[in-house]
Amino acid sequence: MSGRKSGKVFLSFSIISLFLFSLISASSAQIIAPDGPGIEWEKPESHRLFLKGDVSSPFLDNNWSSLTGQPIGSVDFQKTVGSTNLIDIQSAPLTEDLEFNGNITIHLFASLDVANDGCKFTNVLPGSPLGAETKFSVSFSLGNNQILSDAQTNSIVMEESFTLAHEFLIDANDVNVSLLKGDLIGLKIDVMHDCAQTGVLWWDTYDATTGIEFKGELIYPELDQTVDPNGIIRVEFTPNSPWGNDLYISQVLEVIGPVEWEDMIHGNADEDTRLDHFETPHGIRIDEMNRTVLTWSSQSRLSAGKYMIDSCYKLSDQDPGETCDLVGVLRFEVLEPDPSLFNGTWAAILIPLSIIFWIGISMKEALLPLPAYGVILLLALTTLGPALYLPDIDFEEPRFEGAAPSFSLYEHDEDQQLYEFSDLLSNHDAIVIGLFTPSSPNAEIQRVDFEIAQKVIDDNVAFIQIATGEGVNSLDLNNLVNQINGSWPVLIDNADSSVGKSFPSRASDSVFVIDSAGFISTWSPGTMSSQSIEDAVQSSYLGSGNLPLDLIGLIFGTTFLPLIVLAMPRGEKYEVPDSPLIPGAGLVLTLFSSSIGFALWALPVSLLSILGLGSYWIFVEIVLSLILFYHGLSMLLRGGIREIEISGRFFYSKLPEPYRVWWKENKFLDDMYLGLWVAWLLWLRMPSTIPQAIGAVGRSGLIGLFVCILFFIGYMIMAGLVVVIFKTTLAIIGDLTRIFGSLTVGLRPRAWGLTCAILGMWVLLSIVVGPLMIN
């Protein structure tokens, strides 16, 4: 007996387990995990048009009433012979073409005007003159298509008041019609009421939804996204509906990622993957089909990865108790940007290989001790620091560090006034430029921010917005221009978007603050708050945050790494001066000579920026890169630069004789070269430092001119101090650096010259094939 019982238990357990497993498998089979980009919609199974208004002026619309008391709309009817017309109306014209294939149900809610069973008691013989039933006759048309013609509902003996109204139904199945924009929907309702008590047709309340139900696909919304070169996403939603955009009451959209495709399910995201949340549209545009498009723009930058836009929409014709009537999940992938032809990594490889190749060639003429070649290889390794920060060489690649691109554009106006970047620089202390793409919501946000900032910033700051990107249409700018009302110009970029592409953001939404020397003080993708604009303008007056002390901070990075080798001493031991000199005379002379070397580069650059050549700075940088190439070639071929040596001898000759007797000329020239290399390394790492810190400050009035002189002296001293720190550190190490330095006296300058020639040619090529090609 016990064996049978255990067998039955086991059999029952197996059957139950198999049943549960089949349920789980069936439910799992219905959930298909997404496996790639695309869009999925979960749409309502039906849509409705409700009877609204009062008896004197009824109409059809798609707003589900939330009233729970006595219905707003009603019409009385009495016992009559034959049918009596109650409603004969048409809807508003359709706003879009419509292909409908499905079923249609007409819902009518009616009851007696009194809450008793009078009709039931008088219903002696149903369906005869002695009956007391009620039914409705409905005619229904979609455009020119007559769907129902005097079709009759079910018959009911009404017994209740409006609180429990009876529902009368009539169906039209397998409806397949094509409607055009402007077509009307017609509804005619007649009643046949055999009861002596007054009946009422009710509508316009939550539980009396008299009207038309379309069971089938009726709306075709569109959800799309674009990610600009800065990783800023722009989301667009087109609320297509035959009843107009009012069908869509509200929406909630979330940008989620990065996540895997299989995890992209509505409402399934972790909190830490929710990047942005949208509700009220940032902007509205009209597309080429004259449809309204709601737009949003995120402030979060998307890195490469898989993302989704999880969207939820509330529709006016659906049950108000539901929170999400329409769900759209848009899956997309942000790809890694296309690699440049050559980036700084190639330079970091090319320079050491070139030095090694050059060493191999030089070894054929004479061999040096192995430690000497080790020092040169160390120099090659230290060049990795500046090389990695070199600009990419790529076609139409903007200059990310430097002056703002020059432009000459026409205003969106009847007069079409021409605005030159050089004229704006001459007449203003700063320029605030807002780039925006066609119909971008950021254009309006920029307008508001500019309007607020303009009120708190002095009048000598120019505000400009530039429409850039593909598809710029002057007609699309009319609304924005009208709102600006002449407060600042709106310019239209060239057909090829050459101006927008020249900015670091490329032709995408962004805001730039340009200082008086024509250099970008700061910029932000998308928009920039009015407070940030004000702060950036104030900062531009003082060099955009560039200070002489920053040179000392760069010692702890990779910028000045080559000085570890270049600052090695020639090999002479320290000699005590024969005559008394000031304390620390050697350090003072190093500081003085290296400051002179730095100034030989920085002075002309500062003067050019003070003179307002920022609008032509791309050509100045071409000249600078050629000079760097020349300096490198000269060092490689002859071990020195003639112009630097002539200048060095001049300044050396001005030293008091005791100092010249003690401090040899070659030491003075070596330190001058180190100051020059500090200037070039600073330019390679931060090209706009000197033009902004000196030029922009010098162009901000008489006080600014005085401050820029102090800044220039400060940079000279800090550059000299950088050299002093490196030389002192090497001296502290001891005889090892002196020995290595003596072994490579003639080799180090030439190896560094080869490096400088490559660096100069690299920057030149990056400018020629990049920003110069854009223009």
Side-chain angles (χ1 to χ4, degrees):
M1 288 293 291
S2 60
R4 287 184 183 179
K5 288 184 179 179
S6 59
K8 290 181 179 179
V9 170
F10 176 76
L11 180 62
S12 301
F13 178 78
S14 300
I15 294 173
I16 294 173
S17 300
L18 183 63
F19 176 71
L20 293 176
F21 179 76
S22 64
L23 288 178
I24 294 173
S25 300
S27 61
S28 300
Q30 293 175 358
I31 302 175
I32 301 176
D35 58 358
I39 187 168
E40 292 179 357
W41 291 101
E42 295 179 19
K43 300 180 181 180
E45 295 181 355
S46 64
H47 291 273
R48 295 198 177 195
L49 278 179
F50 302 97
L51 184 60
K52 292 295 188 74
D54 55 33
V55 64
S56 60
S57 56
F59 61 91
L60 293 171
D61 78 0
N62 51 26
N63 293 316
W64 192 316
S65 178
S66 59
L67 180 68
T68 56
Q70 182 170 346
I72 297 174
S74 63
V75 57
D76 298 343
F77 48 85
Q78 305 291 335
K79 178 179 176 65
T80 59
V81 177
S83 62
T84 302
N85 179 254
L86 300 180
I87 300 292
D88 190 357
I89 57 174
Q90 290 181 315
S91 70
L94 269 63
T95 59
E96 294 180 8
D97 295 348
L98 174 63
E99 295 281 342
F100 180 75
N101 185 5
N103 302 325
I104 297 175
T105 299
I106 309 297
H107 297 263
L108 305 176
F109 288 84
S111 66
L112 298 178
D113 194 24
V114 292
N116 60 47
D117 295 336
C119 288
K120 181 179 180 180
F121 295 143
T122 58
N123 189 31
V124 178
L125 189 60
S128 70
L130 298 179
E133 295 179 331
T134 302
K135 61 182 176 180
F136 294 90
S137 175
V138 176
S139 296
F140 174 66
S141 62
L142 294 173
N144 296 324
N145 305 284
Q146 190 69 38
I147 307 301
L148 297 173
S149 180
D150 295 327
Q152 295 185 358
T153 67
N154 51 313
S155 298
I156 296 177
V157 178
M158 296 191 297
E159 302 177 2
E160 305 289 347
S161 67
F162 73 88
T163 57
L164 292 173
H166 303 279
E167 184 177 17
F168 296 80
L169 300 173
I170 188 168
D171 295 320
N173 298 320
D174 299 325
V175 178
N176 189 354
V177 295
S178 298
L179 301 179
L180 299 177
K181 180 180 179 180
D183 281 349
L184 305 176
I185 296 176
L187 177 65
K188 179 184 176 185
I189 302 174
D190 295 337
V191 65
M192 289 165 282
H193 182 57
D194 293 335
C195 181
Q197 290 183 311
T198 301
V200 183
L201 178 67
W202 305 100
W203 65 83
D204 210 2
T205 190
Y206 179 83
D207 50 358
T209 53
T210 293
I212 309 159
E213 181 181 11
F214 298 84
K215 300 176 182 178
E217 197 164 6
L218 201 67
I219 59 174
Y220 300 89
E222 296 178 10
L223 182 64
D224 199 6
Q225 59 77 32
T226 55
V227 179
D228 71 15
N230 298 300
I232 301 299
I233 184 173
R234 175 174 167 182
V235 181
E236 294 190 344
F237 173 65
T238 307
N240 296 333
S241 162
W243 321 132
N245 300 332
D246 293 340
L247 176 67
Y248 299 82
I249 301 175
S250 63
Q251 59 281 317
V252 175
L253 298 89
E254 291 185 320
V255 181
I256 297 170
V259 293
E260 295 302 320
W261 298 126
E262 58 267 20
D263 297 326
M264 295 186 183
I265 300 172
H266 171 65
N268 193 42
D270 295 331
E271 190 62 33
D272 58 350
T273 62
R274 300 176 190 268
L275 303 180
D276 221 327
H277 180 97
F278 301 135
E279 292 189 25
T280 304
H282 294 163
I284 297 176
R285 72 177 182 89
I286 305 299
D287 68 5
E288 61 278 0
M289 299 176 64
N290 201 34
R291 300 179 303 182
T292 298
V293 180
L294 310 182
T295 60
W296 294 267
S297 182
S298 173
Q299 293 302 308
S300 302
R301 297 193 187 192
L302 303 187
S303 57
K306 302 179 183 69
Y307 297 85
M308 75 169 177
I309 299 173
D310 191 3
S311 58
C312 169
Y313 308 87
K314 182 63 190 163
L315 305 181
S316 64
D317 67 345
Q318 302 299 310
D319 189 337
E322 300 294 331
T323 58
C324 196
D325 303 318
L326 172 68
V327 172
V329 176
L330 174 61
R331 305 181 302 275
F332 63 97
E333 185 173 7
V334 178
L335 302 176
E336 291 283 356
D338 294 334
S340 303
L341 291 176
F342 302 100
N343 56 31
T345 304
W346 286 99
I349 297 173
L350 176 63
I351 292 174
L353 289 179
S354 300
I355 292 177
I356 292 172
F357 179 74
W358 173 74
I359 291 176
I361 295 176
S362 64
M363 289 176 67
K364 294 181 180 180
E365 299 178 0
L367 289 175
L368 294 174
L370 287 179
Y373 295 112
V375 172
I376 301 306
L377 290 177
L378 177 61
L379 176 62
L381 292 176
T382 59
T383 59
L384 297 179
L388 289 174
Y389 288 101
L390 289 174
D392 294 344
I393 297 178
D394 201 3
F395 294 113
E396 296 189 350
E397 181 83 358
R399 184 81 162 121
F400 288 94
E401 296 286 346
S406 182
F407 59 80
S408 178
L409 298 174
Y410 286 97
E411 182 183 9
H412 173 74
D413 199 347
E414 294 180 356
D415 300 333
Q416 291 190 331
Q417 182 179 347
L418 181 66
Y419 281 81
E420 302 270 359
F421 181 64
S422 55
D423 293 339
L424 293 168
L425 281 182
S426 301
N427 300 324
H428 298 89
D429 292 335
I431 306 172
V432 181
I433 298 177
L435 295 181
F436 65 91
T437 51
S439 305
S440 169
N442 286 321
E444 173 62 17
I445 300 174
Q446 289 176 7
R447 181 193 70 80
V448 175
D449 291 331
F450 283 15
E451 192 174 72
I452 297 173
Q454 199 176 48
K455 294 177 181 178
V456 296
I457 299 176
D458 59 74
D459 294 335
N460 210 26
V461 175
F463 286 81
I464 290 174
Q465 283 186 276
I466 301 177
T468 186
E470 297 181 3
V472 175
N473 189 333
S474 59
L475 296 177
D476 296 334
L477 306 178
N478 289 336
N479 186 46
L480 177 66
V481 171
N482 292 335
Q483 289 181 305
I484 293 173
N485 195 26
S487 298
W488 58 82
V490 176
L491 311 183
I492 300 180
D493 199 357
N494 302 316
D496 57 356
S497 305
S498 59
V499 172
K501 292 178 181 177
S502 299
F503 279 90
S505 65
R506 298 179 176 89
S508 62
D509 301 340
S510 49
V511 176
F512 294 84
V513 177
I514 316 297
D515 62 27
S516 57
F519 291 80
I520 298 173
S521 177
T522 188
W523 73 279
S524 172
T527 62
M528 184 184 295
S529 69
S530 58
Q531 184 61 54
S532 297
I533 293 173
E534 182 184 359
D535 294 341
V537 169
Q538 296 298 327
S539 176
S540 71
Y541 297 154
L542 298 174
S544 300
N546 294 298
L547 296 171
L549 281 173
D550 294 340
L551 287 183
I552 303 299
L554 292 176
I555 291 177
F556 303 100
T558 60
T559 302
F560 297 138
L561 276 180
L563 295 180
I564 294 174
V565 177
L566 297 176
M568 286 182 177
R570 284 177 171 267
E572 304 95 334
K573 292 185 178 181
Y574 179 78
E575 297 180 1
V576 178
D578 297 332
S579 56
L581 303 176
I582 62 173
L587 296 179
V588 173
L589 288 173
T590 297
L591 182 68
F592 173 72
S593 56
S594 55
S595 298
I596 295 297
F598 180 86
L600 289 178
W601 182 93
L603 182 60
V605 171
S606 300
L607 292 176
L608 290 175
S609 59
I610 291 174
L611 292 174
L613 294 183
S615 56
Y616 308 100
W617 203 255
I618 194 69
F619 302 104
V620 173
E621 291 201 306
I622 289 177
V623 174
L624 288 175
S625 59
L626 288 172
I627 293 174
L628 177 58
F629 175 76
Y630 161 70
H631 281 183
L633 198 62
S634 181
M635 292 294 294
L636 175 64
L637 297 179
R638 59 182 300 272
I641 304 170
R642 191 179 304 277
E643 294 79 9
I644 300 300
E645 293 174 354
I646 293 173
S647 302
R649 293 190 182 99
F650 171 78
F651 286 105
Y652 181 77
S653 66
K654 301 303 179 181
L655 292 176
E657 184 175 354
Y659 291 89
R660 283 186 280 116
V661 171
W662 175 63
W663 198 260
K664 303 302 181 183
E665 184 181 273
N666 58 1
K667 285 187 176 183
F668 189 88
L669 291 177
D670 287 347
D671 292 339
M672 273 194 63
Y673 277 119
L674 290 175
L676 178 66
W677 304 142
V678 168
W680 279 122
L681 290 171
L682 177 64
W683 179 69
L684 291 170
R685 179 66 179 86
M686 303 168 65
S688 59
T689 297
I690 296 301
Q692 283 189 310
I694 310 300
V697 174
R699 290 177 60 83
S700 59
L702 292 176
I703 297 178
L705 193 60
F706 174 74
V707 173
C708 88
I709 295 174
L710 295 179
F711 272 25
F712 186 82
I713 296 173
Y715 272 103
M716 287 179 59
I717 295 173
M718 290 300 110
L721 191 58
V722 168
V723 175
V724 168
I725 291 173
F726 274 95
K727 292 197 67 173
T728 303
T729 303
L730 291 170
I732 292 173
I733 294 175
D735 291 340
L736 187 63
T737 58
R738 183 176 56 82
I739 294 172
F740 286 159
S742 63
L743 291 174
T744 56
V745 169
L747 200 59
R748 279 179 293 146
R750 296 180 186 276
W752 177 243
L754 176 61
T755 300
C756 289
I758 296 174
L759 293 173
M761 185 54 60
W762 186 282
V763 175
L764 177 64
L765 289 175
S766 71
I767 294 174
V768 171
V769 304
L772 205 63
M773 186 172 287
I774 297 176
N775 298 322

